[in-house]
Amino acid sequence: MALIKHACLLLLVLVIAFALQIIFFSPISPEILELPSTSSSVSVPPSNNQLQEVIKLGEGFLPGPEDVAVDEKGTLYTATRDGWVRRLHRNGSWEDWMKLESNTLLGIATAKRGGLIVCDCEKGLLKFTDDGVTVLASHVNGSEIKFADDVIEASDGGVYFSVASTKFQLHNWNLDVLEAKPYGQLLKYDPSTEETSILLDGLYFANGVALSKDEDFLLVCESWRFRCLKHWLKGESKGKTEIFIENLPGCPDNINLAPDGSFWIALLQVVSEGTEFVHASRALKLIISNFPKAVELVFSGIKKKATVINVAADGSILKRFDDPTGTVISFVTSAVEFEDHLYLGSLNTNFVGKLPLK
């Protein structure tokens, strides 16, 4: 009898210890993730398999080309997981252009005066030229920039870039999804003063950024809110922020201006089918976050498809391209239009995709 009592007491102690571990030592303090409304007024074209028609550029030596950019000469750039910035010349030849000891290079943008502006999760905002690499911004308001994500340069030289999260980093970004709190920022680097300022704070995983054709407003994607925000830079609404598009059929990643003034947005299926219940329970997310294998299981299905949409300047969806099974390309993170082709970046491929638009 005494043995049973001791066993029960030990079990109770273990349960209490487990509960305390979950409550007080969890890496997250979660909120409910608000999924897109099923009664949304946003008209979304049906899924298709058009992304299965992509041509594979540089297959085999471009590990995880998250973003792509094309300069005025038609040279294509991409940053890969091995720290290389590689470029594809007009004649079809690839060049290993610049190397950085980093596997966390993300968003890139061509600079108006030559070179490339690059977001690095560890070092901040960088500029690559033939002469080497320069750190443009590593801190803002005294705090280190740890998750620089995407970037665009304005015609006046101002550089707008996003910080996905001030709490989590690239290696544990999925905990940011589970926590579902607004740790993202939109920053501006002023080259004339070499100072960095915060334009917007409290964003739900600030991701892609893009300027409008007239540069009167800036768009920033909030991945965990399934929406993009419009921040006015000029006119009567200067300084104001409003919703550009919401209730998207996926989490918006990078966004790029198209030649006609519309925007290309890559969508990620971060909430896999069948895992919605996880994101609706704080208690369940607390438990799961303590076990890396459980976190991995929740997000195991996110790289099985690819979606890209084309959105007009008024926020209406014009086109949609998919690979619904990830047969040819999956986990597309960026889409850039150049000379009637769409160039696609992905963290789950070893090539850049090229899709004819005509």
Side-chain angles (χ1 to χ4, degrees):
M1 193 69 176
L3 183 61
I4 295 176
K5 287 183 177 179
H6 281 93
C8 290
L9 181 61
L10 178 59
L11 180 61
L12 178 61
V13 170
L14 289 174
V15 170
I16 293 174
F18 179 76
L20 290 175
Q21 167 69 28
I22 296 299
I23 295 172
F24 294 106
F25 298 99
S26 172
I28 65 172
S29 56
E31 295 292 342
I32 302 300
L33 181 66
E34 298 180 14
L35 299 178
S37 171
T38 56
S39 59
S40 170
S41 59
V42 177
S43 178
V44 182
S47 180
N48 54 69
N49 60 3
Q50 293 189 53
L51 286 186
Q52 293 182 355
E53 300 175 7
V54 299
I55 303 164
K56 299 179 180 181
L57 303 177
E59 185 176 14
F61 64 94
L62 299 176
E66 197 268 350
D67 197 11
V68 292
V70 184
D71 67 16
E72 294 179 349
K73 298 178 181 178
T75 303
L76 181 145
Y77 293 81
T78 189
T80 51
R81 297 315 93 207
D82 53 6
W84 276 103
V85 173
R86 294 181 167 95
R87 56 187 182 185
L88 175 64
H89 296 281
R90 282 279 195 176
N91 61 10
S93 64
W94 282 95
E95 176 191 359
D96 291 338
W97 181 47
M98 298 288 293
K99 176 74 180 289
L100 189 69
E101 291 304 320
S102 171
N103 62 357
T104 58
L105 302 179
L106 292 179
I108 62 176
T110 56
K112 299 295 186 290
R113 296 184 179 180
L116 198 69
I117 304 174
V118 179
C119 288
D120 180 62
C121 295
E122 297 178 349
K123 299 177 177 65
L125 187 69
L126 313 176
K127 185 169 184 180
F128 285 58
T129 67
D130 290 329
D131 297 324
V133 180
T134 304
V135 178
L136 300 181
S138 60
H139 292 75
V140 60
N141 292 354
S143 298
E144 192 172 1
I145 299 170
K146 275 295 187 181
F147 202 158
D149 195 307
D150 194 28
V151 61
I152 192 69
E153 184 186 28
S155 57
D156 64 0
V159 179
Y160 300 91
F161 65 107
S162 59
V163 171
S165 176
T166 55
K167 179 176 181 178
F168 301 98
Q169 297 179 39
L170 183 61
H171 72 276
N172 61 357
W173 65 269
N174 42 24
L175 293 181
D176 199 279
V177 187
L178 290 175
E179 182 149 330
K181 286 184 177 177
Y183 296 118
Q185 298 175 323
L186 177 64
L187 308 183
K188 180 182 180 180
Y189 170 75
D190 186 341
S192 64
T193 62
E194 297 185 348
E195 294 183 352
T196 303
S197 57
I198 300 174
L199 287 185
L200 295 177
D201 208 347
L203 302 178
Y204 289 83
F205 204 82
N207 210 318
V209 293
L211 285 161
S212 66
K213 197 169 187 178
D214 297 329
E215 298 191 3
D216 54 343
F217 64 83
L218 178 75
L219 298 182
V220 57
C221 296
E222 275 191 296
S223 295
W224 310 157
R225 276 297 177 91
F226 303 88
R227 70 184 184 185
C228 302
L229 300 179
K230 176 191 288 187
H231 182 73
W232 288 97
L233 301 174
K234 299 176 183 177
E236 295 181 359
S237 299
K238 181 180 179 180
K240 295 182 179 179
T241 305
E242 60 191 55
I243 295 173
F244 173 66
I245 187 171
E246 58 185 340
N247 287 310
L248 289 166
C251 298
D253 198 314
N254 286 331
I255 180 171
N256 287 287
L257 178 68
D260 64 359
S262 63
F263 300 90
W264 289 101
I265 307 175
L267 299 180
L268 304 180
Q269 302 304 318
V270 171
V271 180
S272 305
E273 186 175 349
T275 65
E276 295 88 351
F277 71 98
V278 173
H279 300 281
S281 170
R282 292 186 181 90
L284 191 54
K285 292 200 285 186
L286 272 174
I287 295 171
I288 289 172
S289 66
N290 281 270
F291 303 96
K293 289 294 183 182
V295 174
E296 185 178 324
L297 182 62
V298 169
F299 293 96
S300 61
I302 66 174
K303 297 180 179 180
K304 294 182 178 180
K305 58 178 64 176
T307 301
V308 172
I309 58 173
N310 181 226
V311 181
D314 64 1
S316 58
I317 300 178
L318 303 174
K319 302 172 187 175
R320 173 176 177 165
F321 300 142
D322 298 270
D323 185 339
T325 57
T327 302
V328 178
I329 191 168
S330 61
F331 207 66
V332 168
T333 48
S334 63
V336 175
E337 182 180 345
F338 181 73
E339 293 184 349
D340 298 325
H341 287 82
L342 201 60
Y343 293 88
L344 307 168
S346 167
L347 280 172
N348 198 44
T349 67
N350 59 7
F351 61 87
V352 167
K354 179 181 179 180
L355 181 72
L357 293 175
K358 290 185 179 180

